[in-house]
Structures are given as structure tokens and as C-alpha cells.
Amino acid sequence: MNSTASTVPLWERSTLQDAAGKTLRPGGLTLTDRALSLTNFPKHSRILDVGCGLGATVEHLNNVHHFKGYGIDISSRQLSQAPSGLRLSLANADCLPFPDNSFNGIICECVLSLLPDISKTIGEFKRILNSTGTLIITDIYQRGQNSSGLISGSCATNPLNTVELESAISNHQLHTIIKEDHSKLLAELAARLIFSGEKSIIPKGSCCSKPGYMLLIAKQNKL
């Protein structure tokens, strides 16, 4: 890998797109569809994809599930490569450009572990969800005792601590209804990246001894 490539975050490298497709995450749209099958969104629901990247999930929400898909991302480079005509915005996950109670659902896949303040972000999600809103999270999480990560520029940088995550969810008047382990999908993507020559995916030092990948679905508490 040359020096230029090493300064580009993993999610903007061609090796990740080659290995994971345009969703840029373990499980791709198959895991997204698994999550949606566990919810009960009616047609035309407003669903926000936080960290939408190249817009693949938003396009899928519109064309396959007939939702009104929206997306936000901090990468102007990735948004510029998304299909035209999608409802995409350049924004941070903890400062969303939408009014209160404006979405039926939020999807946040392989993004939350990259953010500096999970509780603040969950609070922002809570703000824009309507009273029956549902939050879908898929992300890398800590299964082993060592929690530090050295895989820079990816959601493997800082695997989620599920105790802290569920505490943040509870503190913002949401509650977890489903939690599933999908670590096999993480292992499959890691293998494809390694065989594609992406050396940064190989953990160094004491990095996360047994990282896993999970699906978590939470809903608003009833008033």
C-alpha cells in the first residue's frame, strides 16, 4: 500500500468496495433486509440511513421496500458518487438536519462505533424518531476482553461495548427488542479484504481479541 492509500479511511478505499460492494459493510443489503423483516414499517415510511456512503441502502429502501429513504453522510466524496435523485445530505450523525419526530425509522450500519459520543448520537436519533419509531443498528462489537482497536478508518477501530450501548439506549427512553449475533459476516468480509491485499484490516498488537458483528433493534418507550 502506498502512502496516499494509507491516509484514506478504509470506507473510501476501492478495496472495501471490491470486497463488500456498494454498501461497504458486513452483510450488505442481506443483513439490512433481515433487520427490516423484524420490524413492521408500513409502506411509504420515512427511513433515514445514517452514514449512507454511496447511497446503496437508500436506493434499496426506495426501490425494493417502497419507503421514503433519506441518507446523511460526512463524506462529500462518497455522496458525490451516489446515484442522482436520492434524498442525501452532508451532515454529522449527532447534528441531524431534520425536525423532531420526523422519521419512522433510522438505520445505522457500521457507523456508530466510529463516532466519539454514542450517547449524544443516540439522543439525536431519539429526537427525530416519531412516537412509534424504530432504531436499527448493525455494528462491530466487543466479544473479547481486549477492547482497543488498531484498524484505522473503519468500524473496527473502536468496537462497541454493548453494555454502554444499551445503557445509552435506555437513558434516552428507548428499549432493545432484538439483538442478534452475525459475526460470521464480519469474518467473511475480513477474509475477502485480506485476500484482496488490504493489509490494514489485519489487527496489530493487542487489538480486539475477538470482535463480533451484531444486529440490534430498539423502539421508543410507550408514554
Side-chain angles (χ1 to χ4, degrees):
M1 184 184 305
N2 60 43
S3 58
T4 301
S6 66
T7 62
V8 176
L10 179 60
W11 63 81
E12 290 192 345
R13 294 180 202 162
S14 60
T15 48
L16 180 58
Q17 187 169 336
D18 291 344
K22 291 186 176 181
T23 63
L24 309 175
R25 60 176 182 267
L29 295 173
T30 299
L31 186 54
T32 304
D33 285 342
R34 166 63 183 166
L36 292 172
S37 75
L38 298 171
T39 64
N40 191 29
F41 293 123
K43 284 186 177 179
H44 310 303
S45 289
R46 286 166 54 91
I47 310 293
L48 174 66
D49 181 23
V50 174
C52 63
L54 302 172
T57 299
V58 176
E59 188 173 46
H60 186 71
L61 293 172
N62 292 340
N63 296 343
V64 176
H65 293 280
H66 307 294
F67 298 141
K68 293 181 179 177
Y70 293 74
I72 68 100
D73 204 284
I74 61 169
S75 171
S76 57
R77 176 179 175 182
Q78 290 198 323
L79 291 176
S80 70
Q81 298 173 23
S84 61
L86 298 179
R87 306 177 188 90
L88 307 181
S89 303
L90 183 67
N92 289 313
D94 59 4
C95 188
L96 297 170
F98 304 106
D100 296 357
N101 309 314
S102 55
F103 282 91
N104 303 90
I106 294 174
I107 298 175
C108 184
E109 299 193 86
C110 212
V111 170
L112 196 59
S113 56
L114 289 165
L115 304 179
D117 189 335
I118 291 173
S119 181
K120 180 180 179 181
T121 304
I122 296 291
E124 185 68 350
F125 292 171
K126 160 77 177 181
R127 181 185 68 77
I128 68 165
L129 283 172
N130 65 23
S131 60
T132 59
T134 300
L135 170 62
I136 295 171
I137 296 170
T138 74
D139 217 321
I140 194 167
Y141 76 105
Q142 301 171 17
R143 288 197 300 172
Q145 293 182 346
N146 297 326
S147 61
S148 63
L150 292 175
I151 304 172
S152 62
S154 80
C155 64
T157 302
N158 188 27
L160 293 173
N161 180 308
T162 55
V163 174
E164 294 177 359
L165 173 61
E166 294 202 58
S167 177
I169 287 171
S170 176
N171 289 341
H172 289 289
Q173 288 74 57
L174 297 154
H175 62 281
T176 300
I177 59 170
I178 291 170
K179 188 165 64 176
E180 296 180 344
D181 181 82
H182 290 275
S183 298
K184 181 180 178 182
L185 299 174
L186 177 65
E188 289 173 352
L189 177 56
R192 288 198 295 272
L193 283 166
I194 290 171
F195 280 106
S196 72
E198 182 54 66
K199 296 180 180 179
S200 72
I201 198 67
I202 301 172
K204 302 171 183 176
S206 61
C207 175
C208 36
S209 59
K210 195 177 181 184
Y213 203 78
M214 67 168 186
L215 161 66
L216 182 148
I217 301 177
K219 288 190 68 68
Q220 292 267 37
N221 291 345
K222 293 182 179 179
L223 298 177

